[in-house]
Amino acid sequence: MPLNQKNPTLTDSWKKLKEHFNLITKQSIEDHFKTNKNRGKEFSTNFNEIHFDYSKNKINSETINLFNELLMEINFSESVKSYFEGDKINDTESRSVLHTALRAKETDEIFVDGVNIMHEVIQSRKKMMDFSDKVISGSYKGVDDAKITDIVNIGIGGSDLGPSMVCESLSHYKTRLNVHFVNNVDGDQIHEVLKRLTPTRTLFIIVSKTFTTIETITNAQVAKEWFQSNAKKSDISKNFVGVSSNAKAVKEFGINHSNIFPMWDWVGGRFSLWGSVGLAINLFIGSKNFNDLLMGANEMDNHFKSEPISKNIPLLAACISIWHNNFFDYETHAIIPYNQNMKSFSAYLQQASMESNGKQTSRNGEFIDYQSGSIIWGQVGTNAQHSFFQLLHQGTKIIPCDFIGFSNPMNNNIKSHQILMANFFAQTKALMIGKKDSNAHKHFKGDRPTNTILIKKLSPKNLGSLVALYEHKIFSVGVILNLFSFDQFGVELGKNLANDILKDIEQKSSIKNDSSTENLLNKFFDSI
Ligand code: F6P
């Protein structure tokens, strides 16, 4: 079934939310705590080892009820059904959206065009795990019978951000393999990576759904030439594998058929870390941990599918985000994990969220006159406290934040963890209560909204659940705001113009451009 095409702002419940907003905006967040001593508990919910506290927002039970009315008015539950059952909800590309199938159980049945896709999902999962197990154990050898020590993942966007974020976040669970990520077409990056590696002991994973992305293909070519000249071997088959839905192009590149791991058009790049795109993760943390990651995501899928709004963490997060973005006009949202290994988490969410919901057109094909997805950014705590938190506390813009923290550290240094977590709890409190001071420079107005996600431990399973939580939040925001979240036409124009300008650069000609671009190209030609 296609997704509904209702303009949310024209629904009765949106109008009621607007009236409710006019009233609630007069009360401070702290006022809500003064009138309800149990607010902390009432406005928080639990899922496995994840505790989600949304009490430090300008909401009350009426807000949640009205959002629930909105969900009913737009028939949200039907959209969730369509999403999980493989309806072609990526309408503009006529595709299903089934990253959830990549973490589904072996016994599940999920159909695309009448075919149960779980057979190929399980087959490819098994192929990836068997391969990873062999590389980790050392029974899989590179050229010259060399044991693999280093993995280089070459990909960009969804073919890079997910695997690199998960590997970094779960570095505590590392196998004996080292992993490196090459994404940018800036040749300096791959040069720096390659100079530290031994070709025969290196396994390159070329990850590209299309296998046409210029950055990835250029880097793959550089890696191939480096390998062939340094290993003094023309055969790359033991040291290069490909992850793609374009098997023909992978073979043409020189990768063996048996070393191709599949991707399907029903999984978008930015949601693909759960399948073959996660090969680098599987190699880096091992199959047992990779399975736990999948299990955590799968359990979050079931939570999202079945819980009512009051307990449904992704749905609550989505409604609060729309509340902030579309009613309060808070345009950005910061993600602050209090864990150094999660330093790429906000960059990962930037693509997942902004490539999905950074849209100007409704599902009816009309330009919208309300806000689509918010701007996502962030940095780890406590480092962020010493950079942009000044603006969060005293700036003229209000930035809602998600604070993500872990009750238990991955090391024995309890003292450091206590300091880290004291800061974690103090910041959301300070943002809410502020501080009165007769000196205006030292006055904090407070009343700044935050969500707190407190997780028992940074385990593969909990990380899987956390990432799936945000995926479903993104889906929910898109459905409610009447957007198509699973295409990304906005990235095409720049890519096409870059191809034209590359021809200009190769021919040292600038004349087909506007005068600024022409002048810039001439400056560039003069200085090389
Ligand atoms: O930037 C656009 C995009 O298509 C992303 O959606 C995708 O994740 C990335 O490029 C990489 O694409 P591919 O996996 O086809 O190389």
Side-chain angles (χ1 to χ4, degrees):
M1 195 160 130
L3 300 177
N4 78 78
Q5 299 199 339
K6 278 208 174 133
N7 177 339
T9 64
L10 301 180
T11 59
D12 289 344
S13 29
W14 192 278
K15 283 174 206 140
K16 287 191 208 163
L17 276 163
K18 204 83 214 168
E19 285 160 23
H20 172 64
F21 164 77
N22 290 334
L23 290 177
I24 210 166
T25 196
K26 295 180 185 129
Q27 271 174 293
S28 72
I29 304 170
E30 220 189 340
D31 286 342
H32 290 289
F33 278 88
K34 284 182 189 147
T35 52
N36 178 1
K37 295 285 167 228
N38 216 19
R39 183 176 168 88
K41 269 203 176 136
E42 273 176 27
F43 290 83
S44 57
T45 186
N46 296 296
F47 160 80
N48 288 349
E49 294 182 351
I50 299 181
H51 178 76
F52 180 65
D53 180 330
Y54 56 102
S55 62
K56 294 192 188 84
N57 287 294
K58 234 171 238 199
I59 54 165
N60 59 20
S61 50
E62 176 70 358
T63 326
I64 305 299
N65 290 340
L66 288 174
F67 267 105
N68 200 26
E69 265 187 42
L70 175 65
L71 297 176
M72 300 217 277
E73 214 176 327
I74 62 167
N75 216 350
F76 183 79
S77 56
E78 274 302 312
S79 304
V80 175
K81 210 161 162 271
S82 295
Y83 172 37
F84 281 92
E85 290 185 357
D87 292 353
K88 302 213 167 162
I89 60 168
N90 177 358
D91 191 288
T92 47
E93 297 179 319
S94 191
R95 291 173 180 172
S96 307
V97 175
L98 278 173
H99 44 279
T100 50
L102 300 180
R103 60 235 190 180
K105 299 217 166 68
E106 278 200 55
T107 46
D108 289 343
E109 292 190 328
I110 300 168
F111 293 89
V112 173
D113 296 326
V115 177
N116 181 7
I117 56 165
M118 285 312 293
H119 297 305
E120 32 180 354
V121 168
I122 298 302
Q123 213 180 21
S124 101
R125 192 185 292 168
K126 197 171 164 341
K127 177 176 171 166
M128 175 169 75
M129 290 191 172
D130 287 349
F131 179 76
S132 301
D133 293 346
K134 282 187 199 144
V135 179
I136 296 165
S137 73
S139 66
Y140 180 93
K141 301 276 196 321
V143 76
D144 287 347
D145 227 16
K147 199 163 146 183
I148 301 295
T149 55
D150 289 79
I151 310 295
V152 179
N153 188 95
I154 299 182
I156 196 165
S159 297
D160 166 76
L161 288 162
S164 61
M165 178 278 289
V166 174
C167 287
E168 251 176 36
S169 299
L170 298 180
S171 53
H172 176 80
Y173 301 85
K174 180 184 180 303
T175 60
R176 64 169 189 87
L177 299 168
N178 304 313
V179 69
H180 314 266
F181 289 89
V182 172
N183 32 54
N184 202 328
V185 73
D186 176 357
D188 289 353
Q189 186 193 26
I190 191 161
H191 176 76
E192 286 304 316
V193 170
L194 294 180
K195 77 181 186 195
R196 285 179 268 141
L197 299 176
T198 309
T200 52
R201 295 186 174 281
T202 304
L203 179 74
F204 291 92
I205 313 176
I206 317 298
V207 190
S208 175
K209 185 172 166 183
T210 53
F211 224 76
T212 56
T213 305
I214 192 163
E215 292 91 336
T216 303
I217 301 308
T218 306
N219 281 325
Q221 203 56 43
V222 172
K224 185 173 163 182
E225 281 159 23
W226 172 84
F227 177 84
Q228 288 174 326
S229 60
N230 288 281
K232 299 192 176 58
K233 294 277 178 279
S234 60
D235 179 13
I236 63 163
S237 63
K238 290 187 174 156
N239 293 69
F240 280 72
V241 301
V243 177
S244 182
S245 59
N246 185 356
K248 186 170 169 277
V250 184
K251 274 187 236 160
E252 278 164 13
F253 179 81
I255 290 175
N256 259 0
H257 179 71
S258 59
N259 278 348
I260 303 177
F261 296 82
M263 287 176 82
W264 297 280
D265 70 1
W266 37 262
V267 178
R270 54 192 174 274
F271 301 103
S272 62
L273 70 89
W274 317 100
S276 308
V277 172
L279 179 58
I281 305 173
N282 197 156
L283 288 158
F284 188 65
I285 63 172
S287 294
K288 149 94 184 57
N289 289 320
F290 190 77
N291 237 330
D292 286 353
L293 183 84
L294 300 186
M295 206 195 302
N298 179 259
E299 288 179 16
M300 179 54 80
D301 296 344
N302 293 331
H303 165 88
F304 176 61
K305 268 194 281 192
S306 57
E307 291 294 346
I309 185 170
S310 57
K311 292 192 187 148
N312 192 316
I313 304 177
L315 198 45
L316 283 166
C319 292
I320 292 168
S321 156
I322 291 172
W323 189 230
H324 289 150
N325 187 23
N326 298 76
F327 291 84
F328 287 86
D329 294 330
Y330 303 155
E331 291 198 330
T332 86
H333 188 114
I335 309 288
I336 324 284
Y338 273 63
N339 183 289
Q340 188 59 29
N341 288 341
M342 289 184 73
K343 57 184 177 299
S344 302
F345 194 64
S346 60
Y348 165 77
L349 283 183
Q350 269 174 342
Q351 188 206 13
S353 304
M354 291 160 77
E355 199 167 80
S356 298
N357 291 332
K359 305 282 163 70
Q360 59 186 4
T361 314
S362 74
R363 290 196 286 267
N364 323 44
E366 287 158 5
F367 293 134
I368 55 175
D369 58 2
Y370 52 88
Q371 290 294 324
S372 64
S374 33
I375 300 161
I376 303 293
W377 61 290
Q379 181 54 268
V380 290
T382 62
N383 301 16
Q385 293 175 205
H386 299 274
S387 66
F388 57 78
F389 267 43
Q390 165 62 39
L391 187 147
L392 298 194
H393 284 287
Q394 287 189 313
T396 51
K397 298 184 195 326
I398 306 271
I399 319 277
C401 307
D402 286 357
F403 278 72
I404 303 168
F406 298 89
S407 301
N408 297 287
M410 303 307 296
N411 60 74
N412 297 327
N413 191 341
I414 301 301
K415 182 77 198 151
S416 299
H417 195 64
Q418 285 175 345
I419 297 171
L420 177 78
M421 292 310 282
N423 276 277
F424 173 77
F425 296 118
Q427 287 298 329
T428 58
K429 186 173 174 186
L431 285 163
M432 175 174 73
I433 64 174
K435 183 171 130 318
K436 286 196 177 46
D437 200 302
S438 52
N439 177 344
H441 297 289
K442 295 183 178 175
H443 181 83
F444 292 68
K445 290 182 183 166
D447 207 22
R448 288 158 197 246
T450 55
N451 293 317
T452 300
I453 303 176
L454 181 62
I455 305 175
K456 194 168 174 193
K457 181 179 148 188
L458 181 45
S459 64
K461 189 171 175 200
N462 286 336
L463 183 68
S465 300
L466 182 69
V467 174
L469 182 170
Y470 279 103
E471 287 181 345
H472 298 319
K473 173 189 169 185
I474 291 163
F475 163 82
S476 305
V477 167
V479 168
I480 298 170
L481 294 180
N482 197 19
L483 310 169
F484 283 127
S485 303
F486 299 100
D487 58 25
Q488 57 284 320
F489 298 115
V491 296
E492 292 306 321
L493 176 62
K495 274 192 204 172
N496 294 340
L497 291 185
N499 286 335
D500 294 345
I501 293 182
L502 180 59
K503 285 188 201 122
D504 291 345
I505 291 176
E506 283 163 357
Q507 291 158 11
K508 278 213 163 191
S509 148
S510 59
I511 46 178
K512 281 176 287 163
N513 293 286
D514 59 87
S515 65
S516 163
T517 311
E518 184 183 324
N519 191 35
L520 287 167
L521 281 171
N522 287 337
K523 279 268 167 226
F524 175 65
F525 296 144
D526 288 349
S527 51
I528 52 178

